[in-house]
């Protein structure tokens, strides 16, 4: 049920090339060997994948990449050729029995909980919770981060363009030629559509993912003519004629309609600063094409997701660091989203798994993450468990939505966010907090570590 599929579905990778088990960093095998030599490789462990700061100086992000992660996990295993290569690059002192063990490794004992793909998420809140044997879930780190970081970043960037353009103007992604290689170009098309764009110019992405296609014409096409008499056919439908926000500066004044105003169906390009200017009265622009500023995310080229151990063998684990921002929250947790009486999410509350859940209409004591403030109290109007189990013992256990369904969920999730948290400039920070019991555990471990 619900296994990842090729093509337009939410779970398929489109250009999957079999197992990506070697798409990782060498030090993962160094650590795996240490676990194996120490007899710790089968200890139950729990990792969390999250980001520390919201991108683009905003107050939210979109979780993306879950479908590709599930496809990766279902295919995770080492081939004899993989093992042969590892033997050639790891130290010659590596025990040969370790390579025999790696041939048996897969994700059949791994479980993954995640927020639904496309959901609005916030800093320090786990996007994924990954459980399984210590050696295996350690080996998954780099690939999961690779599949989630860019996907979530470009989906969030697309959502910000959608906010800038408003709900009615159509948005077209056209950044393939500026993307970070073919994989980056396909990912940009896929996840910008998820984040709220309507079309892509990427023909292969249209075929693989079912994204509607649109396109402009290049300046070279226009400059190849010397007069309208050469144009055949003579009747042009006013579709996507310009990719430059200032046609005069681009040297193509002929792209203006006879009235001197932009006509319906035409498109211009730009960034999030320019897009609101295109909303002004006096034009009929109803489609905006964005390339470089969308797919390369120049304001922030990396989301900075991390993958941290929070529990091993039933014992909570804490990263000890002088940088408070890099400190982790220990223990296996449940995350609750609290909603206020106005119908907006107002807080994500981290609690230990064994704690009783908060209830709607009942006062909840909380401690803000970061420790700068003391305890506070809130009475939620509604309470939602944030994560769902998508992979249990290596098997996908939730029906996976199509890309269109994920896109619709992303738009709906963003629409429910308080406008103060959606502002593109100087948004109000969203509250993320922990329960008193989790705060006590955290402070106790911090004290013991000193």
């Amino acid at each position: 049920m619900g296994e990842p599929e090729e093509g337009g579905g939410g779970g398929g990778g489109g250009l999957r090339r079999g197992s990506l088990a070697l798409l990782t960093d060498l030090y993962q095998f160094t650590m795996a060997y240490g676990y194996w030599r120490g007899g710790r490789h089968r200890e139950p462990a729990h990792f969390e994948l999250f980001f520390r700061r919201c991108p683009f100086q905003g107050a939210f992000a979109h979780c993306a990449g879950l479908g590709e992660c599930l496809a990766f996990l279902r295919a995770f295993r080492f081939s004899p050729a993989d093992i042969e290569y590892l033997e050639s690059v790891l130290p010659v002192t590596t025990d040969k029995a370790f390579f025999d063990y790696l041939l048996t490794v897969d994700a059949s004992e791994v479980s993954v909980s995640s927020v639904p793909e496309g959901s609005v998420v916030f800093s320090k809140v786990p996007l994924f919770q990954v459980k399984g044997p210590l050696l295996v879930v350690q080996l998954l780190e780099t690939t999961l981060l690779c599949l989630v970081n860019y996907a979530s970043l470009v989906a969030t960037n697309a959502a910000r363009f959608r906010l800038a353009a408003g709900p009615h103007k159509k948005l077209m992604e056209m950044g393939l030629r500026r993307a970070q290689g073919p994989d980056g170009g396909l990912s940009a098309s896929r996840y910008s559509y998820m984040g709220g764009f309507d079309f892509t110019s990427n023909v292969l992405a249209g075929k693989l993912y079912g994204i509607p296609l649109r396109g402009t014409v290049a300046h070279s096409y226009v400059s190849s003519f010397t007069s309208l008499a050469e144009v055949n056919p003579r009747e042009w439908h006013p579709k996507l004629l310009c990719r430059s926000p200032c046609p005069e500066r681009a040297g193509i004044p002929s792209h203006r309609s006879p009235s001197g105003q932009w006509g319906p169906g035409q498109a211009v390009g730009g960034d999030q600063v320019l897009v609101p200017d295109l909303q002004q009265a006096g034009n009929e622009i109803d489609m905006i094409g964005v390339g470089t500023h969308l797919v390369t995310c120049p304001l922030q080229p990396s989301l900075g997701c991390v993958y941290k151990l929070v529990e091993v063998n039933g014992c909570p684990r804490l990263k000890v660091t002088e940088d408070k921002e890099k400190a982790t929250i220990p223990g296996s947790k449940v995350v609750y989203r609290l909603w206020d009486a106005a119908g907006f999410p107002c807080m994500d509350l981290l609690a230990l798994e064994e704690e009783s859940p908060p209830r709607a209409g009942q006062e909840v004591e909380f401690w803000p993450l970061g420790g700068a403030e003391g305890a506070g109290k809130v009475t939620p109007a509604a309470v939602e468990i944030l994560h769902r189990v998508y992979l249990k013992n290596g098997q996908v256990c939730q029906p996976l939505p199509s890309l269109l369904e994920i896109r619709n969920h992303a738009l709906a999730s963003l629409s429910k966010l308080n406008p103060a948290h959606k502002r593109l400039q100087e948004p109000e920070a969203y509250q993320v907090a922990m329960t008193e019991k989790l705060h006590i555990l955290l402070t106790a471990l911090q004290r013991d570590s000193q």
Side-chain angles (χ1 to χ4, degrees), residues 384-404:
E384 170 191 10
I385 296 178
L386 202 56
H387 294 82
R388 301 177 187 175
V389 178
Y390 282 91
L391 190 79
K392 187 171 181 63
N393 293 326
Q395 298 297 314
V396 176
C397 54
Q398 291 270 0
L400 297 180
S402 68
L403 181 58
L404 178 59

Side-chain angles (χ1 to χ4, degrees), residues 122-125 346-350 366-370 430-434:
F122 306 99
S123 60
K124 305 291 184 67
V125 176
C346 60
M347 177 185 295
D348 282 6
L349 183 69
L350 280 60
F366 67 88
W367 292 78
L369 264 59
Y430 183 83
Q431 181 75 73
V432 179
M434 69 185 90

Side-chain angles (χ1 to χ4, degrees), residues 298-322:
L299 295 179
Q300 183 174 329
S302 174
L303 178 56
C305 284
V306 293
Y307 182 86
K308 298 299 179 185
L309 180 69
V310 295
E311 185 176 287
V312 63
N313 228 9
C315 298
R317 287 293 187 263
L318 170 73
K319 179 178 179 178
V320 179
T321 172
E322 295 180 355

Side-chain angles (χ1 to χ4, degrees), residues 9 17 34 60 70 155 160 168 197 200 206 210 216 242 249 257 281 285 295 315 319 322 331 369 371 390 394 401 422:
R17 303 176 181 89
F60 72 91
L70 294 175
R160 290 170 62 84
H168 303 301
F197 272 56
T200 181
T216 64
C242 182
R249 280 207 297 267
S257 64
I285 296 169
V295 306
C315 298
K319 179 178 179 178
E322 295 180 355
L369 264 59
Y390 282 91
K422 292 191 287 189

